Amino acid sequence: MINQFRKRLITLTTIFVAIILTTAFAAIFLTTYLKQKSDNLEKLNQAEQLRITGGKVTFDEKSDDMVEINRIVPGAGVYFNMLVDKSGKPMMIDSALKLSKKQYHKAAKYAWKNRAGGVVKINGREWQYVVAPAIAKFDYGSKEQSVEKDDETYLMRFLDITDSKKSLSSLAITLTIVGIGLMLLFFLVIIYFTNRAIRPMEEAWQKQKQFVADASHELKTPLSIISTNVGVLYTSKDETISEQLKWLDNISSGIDRMNGLVNNLLRIAKTDTSFEQLTISEVQLDRVLENSFSHYEAKFEAKQITVNKMIAKVTARTDENLLGQLFDIFMDNASKYTNKNGSFDLILGTKGKETTIKFKNTGDGIAEEDLPKIFDRFYRTNEVRQKYAGSYGLGLSIAQSIVEQLGGKIEVKSSVKEETEFTICLSSKNSRDGKYKVIS
Ligand SMILES: Nc1ncnc2c1ncn2[C@@H]1O[C@H](COP(=O)(O)OP(=O)(O)OP(=O)(O)O)[C@@H](O)[C@H]1O
Ligand SMILES: [Mg+2]
């Protein structure tokens, strides 16, 4: 699911970036193209500046000579004009270029055929042309080319657009190459940032998946015990209940285990969702701790554990319920994991803004390699897994989550076959939004 989400996010972002890039580049290309088109048209339209002076035709109000001789008008581009009669035959050529008569005639023929305007290829170059009626009727000097006043004449203007076309196509190539390069770069950047953004989500998703898998696995064990033992009962229907007690005990312990597990799972669900929903009030920590201890006192006594209490009076603003749950988890562990005739130290003290609660007990202890794992959900050390039926490996993970909510931290020290010490530090400094605040 996360992978699908990642793929979709990358695809959508890439499409979005591609659209923006393409639009930007298309806009650059289109503006250049339109500018060039209008420039060319402007240059071509200058063809209408045909003048009559003293019965003779001139272009651009210049003398006859200047029309025929090399004439370069700055900004007008490379062009030539032709005056043609009503059958499209050239009557006069105004050109500064060295083209053969044949080529001019070929150009005129083509342009006459396609009078609406277009592009013709002459001498390996492309010429855009316009054909327009000459602006006036006039006489032209020489006998053989004389134009009567009312003769219909047309003006053709050819503009060399080879270079502008070339520059346009090289712009298109440049934009395509830069576009592809940028797209590749953006694609890599998008992948990098998407992966970074998704990582915490992926971790949470993995944890959730692991949790569901572990919870199902843990539930399967007592369920299979129950179903096996029920199966045995069915095969011996004629026996009395007291004769079947062994199977019934197994079923009952399976039910107890499932009950404990489900309760713990509910507690986890509650601590996970109750984030931000704390009920803060003035709480006497020493009382909550004593109260929690009283729940387990009988267990300590049964194992003849020496309990040493050093409990200072501490009042703080915090969530009493959560705190009670937290203390219960450590009391439960101490009562379970302290060896018979061992000892248990319970210490509560405060220093400035910081409150420390210590739970120290003798016993098997926790091996160094197990220490980082004991806060993981469903983690139990091997000895505990074998010895204690009522252990689910959920207590410390719940404790961790509670302490996180209150803005504190848990530290653990242990030496195998000697002792284990858990220290909870709650501090006004670390706790944002006043979730924990020492009053006295
Ligand atoms: N006071 C302790 N002394 C020695 N080992 C401990 C102590 N507290 C916890 N541990 C070790 O850490 C493991 C995890 O403890 P945690 O409280 O999370 O689970 P649990 O006690 O096994 O089961 P649960 O609390 O869910 O009933 C325990 O299985 C045990 O191996
Ligand atoms: Mg526990």
Side-chain angles (χ1 to χ4, degrees):
M1 193 192 116
I2 290 277
N3 263 343
Q4 248 178 348
F5 176 69
R6 185 207 319 268
K7 269 189 205 157
R8 201 169 287 177
L9 195 66
I10 291 176
T11 316
L12 283 180
T13 328
T14 311
I15 290 175
F16 180 68
V17 171
I19 289 174
I20 289 186
L21 269 182
T22 317
T23 316
F25 283 9
I28 294 174
F29 183 78
L30 205 69
T31 344
T32 318
Y33 168 73
L34 289 176
K35 173 87 177 60
Q36 241 178 44
K37 202 175 157 186
S38 82
D39 279 359
N40 287 347
L41 273 178
E42 200 181 308
K43 284 173 192 168
L44 279 169
N45 285 334
Q46 286 172 4
E48 277 154 30
Q49 290 165 5
L50 185 74
R51 298 279 183 272
I52 309 163
T53 19
K56 291 203 169 183
V57 66
T58 57
F59 288 94
D60 300 322
E61 291 182 316
K62 295 204 175 92
S63 76
D64 236 2
D65 297 349
M66 286 182 79
V67 173
E68 304 292 346
I69 302 164
N70 275 0
R71 182 166 52 85
I72 295 160
V73 182
V78 177
Y79 69 94
F80 62 90
N81 299 319
M82 272 192 273
L83 190 68
V84 297
D85 63 15
K86 61 181 175 192
S87 61
K89 231 175 104 198
M91 297 162 67
M92 189 186 129
I93 297 163
D94 161 41
S95 173
L97 310 159
K98 278 189 176 154
L99 288 173
S100 68
K101 215 170 179 177
K102 211 172 136 197
Q103 281 169 321
Y104 285 122
H105 279 261
K106 190 182 146 200
K109 202 174 158 192
Y110 183 88
W112 190 247
K113 238 187 184 173
N114 308 283
R115 247 166 289 177
V119 177
V120 61
K121 246 188 170 177
I122 316 166
N123 219 14
R125 297 187 74 82
E126 290 187 57
W127 303 81
Q128 191 175 349
Y129 64 85
V130 283
V131 181
I135 53 161
K137 314 289 178 205
F138 51 86
D139 290 327
Y140 186 66
S142 76
K143 281 266 161 47
E144 65 276 14
Q145 281 187 320
S146 81
V147 178
E148 297 303 321
K149 258 210 178 292
D150 292 328
D151 275 354
E152 205 179 323
T153 51
Y154 290 88
L155 182 73
M156 288 177 175
R157 187 174 175 98
F158 292 80
L159 179 73
D160 186 353
I161 56 159
T162 320
D163 291 339
S164 66
K165 263 197 143 177
K166 259 189 199 159
S167 74
L168 207 62
S169 65
S170 78
L171 176 72
I173 293 170
T174 315
L175 287 180
T176 314
I177 293 172
V178 172
I180 291 173
L182 274 180
M183 211 46 243
L184 271 175
L185 187 77
F186 275 126
F187 185 62
L188 294 177
V189 170
I190 288 167
I191 290 182
Y192 174 74
F193 281 107
T194 309
N195 280 342
R196 265 190 73 159
I198 280 183
R199 204 166 301 144
M201 236 173 100
E202 204 171 7
E203 278 167 18
W205 172 253
Q206 279 305 340
K207 266 191 185 166
Q208 200 63 24
K209 252 171 65 178
Q210 188 61 44
F211 177 66
V212 173
D214 290 347
S216 319
H217 182 259
E218 292 293 324
L219 283 166
K220 249 170 69 187
T221 319
L223 262 178
S224 74
I225 294 174
I226 294 169
S227 91
T228 321
N229 286 279
V230 167
V232 177
L233 284 181
Y234 272 124
T235 55
S236 44
K237 286 184 190 125
D238 301 332
E239 286 178 36
T240 61
I241 289 185
S242 53
E243 283 165 342
Q244 307 268 30
L245 224 47
K246 191 176 155 199
W247 317 120
L248 287 172
D249 281 348
N250 287 344
I251 292 170
S252 166
S253 75
I255 290 171
D256 284 350
R257 175 140 187 101
M258 271 184 70
N259 200 16
L261 241 167
V262 170
N263 280 338
N264 268 318
L265 292 178
L266 285 176
R267 241 161 83 190
I268 288 178
K270 230 173 131 191
T271 39
D272 275 356
T273 51
S274 69
F275 247 91
E276 308 300 334
Q277 296 171 7
L278 305 187
T279 319
I280 306 287
S281 62
E282 217 164 275
V283 181
Q284 252 185 284
L285 263 66
D286 45 295
R287 272 221 209 139
V288 182
L289 195 63
E290 287 281 14
N291 189 34
S292 171
F293 175 74
S294 68
H295 298 155
Y296 296 88
E297 201 166 359
K299 269 183 148 183
F300 285 112
E301 270 176 20
K303 285 170 88 176
Q304 288 158 356
I305 294 165
T306 315
V307 180
N308 305 305
K309 290 196 268 183
M310 275 191 284
I311 301 177
K313 281 204 179 315
V314 180
T315 314
R317 281 187 64 76
T318 188
D319 187 310
E320 183 164 358
N321 245 330
L322 273 187
L323 214 61
Q325 274 186 42
L326 178 69
F327 294 160
D328 277 355
I329 289 168
F330 288 98
M331 293 295 179
D332 182 49
N333 281 351
S335 66
K336 263 197 290 192
Y337 305 125
T338 309
N339 53 324
K340 259 192 177 167
N341 303 314
S343 73
F344 171 52
D345 296 351
L346 186 55
I347 301 161
L348 168 66
T350 186
K351 210 177 185 190
K353 290 180 172 180
E354 205 167 277
T355 307
T356 315
I357 307 118
K358 268 190 207 295
F359 302 85
K360 185 167 150 187
N361 62 280
T362 53
D364 287 342
I366 306 164
E368 209 172 325
E369 66 266 21
D370 285 327
L371 275 179
K373 300 181 207 154
I374 55 170
F375 293 96
D376 293 347
R377 282 173 182 175
F378 297 106
Y379 190 82
R380 285 155 288 172
T381 57
N382 270 339
E383 296 84 27
V384 168
R385 213 179 284 270
Q386 286 153 13
K387 274 199 233 168
Y388 303 88
S391 282
Y392 308 100
L394 290 173
L396 287 177
S397 77
I398 298 172
Q400 177 96 308
S401 151
I402 293 175
V403 171
E404 259 170 37
Q405 287 186 61
L406 297 178
K409 57 179 195 271
I410 307 176
E411 276 164 17
V412 57
K413 280 193 281 188
S414 186
S415 35
V416 178
K417 298 281 170 222
E418 283 178 31
E419 58 179 28
T420 305
E421 180 184 297
F422 285 94
T423 310
I424 303 171
C425 277
L426 296 173
S427 153
S428 316
K429 250 192 323 197
N430 301 335
S431 161
R432 280 170 288 129
D433 316 328
K435 280 171 189 163
Y436 183 83
K437 191 164 186 239
V438 179
I439 295 174
S440 63

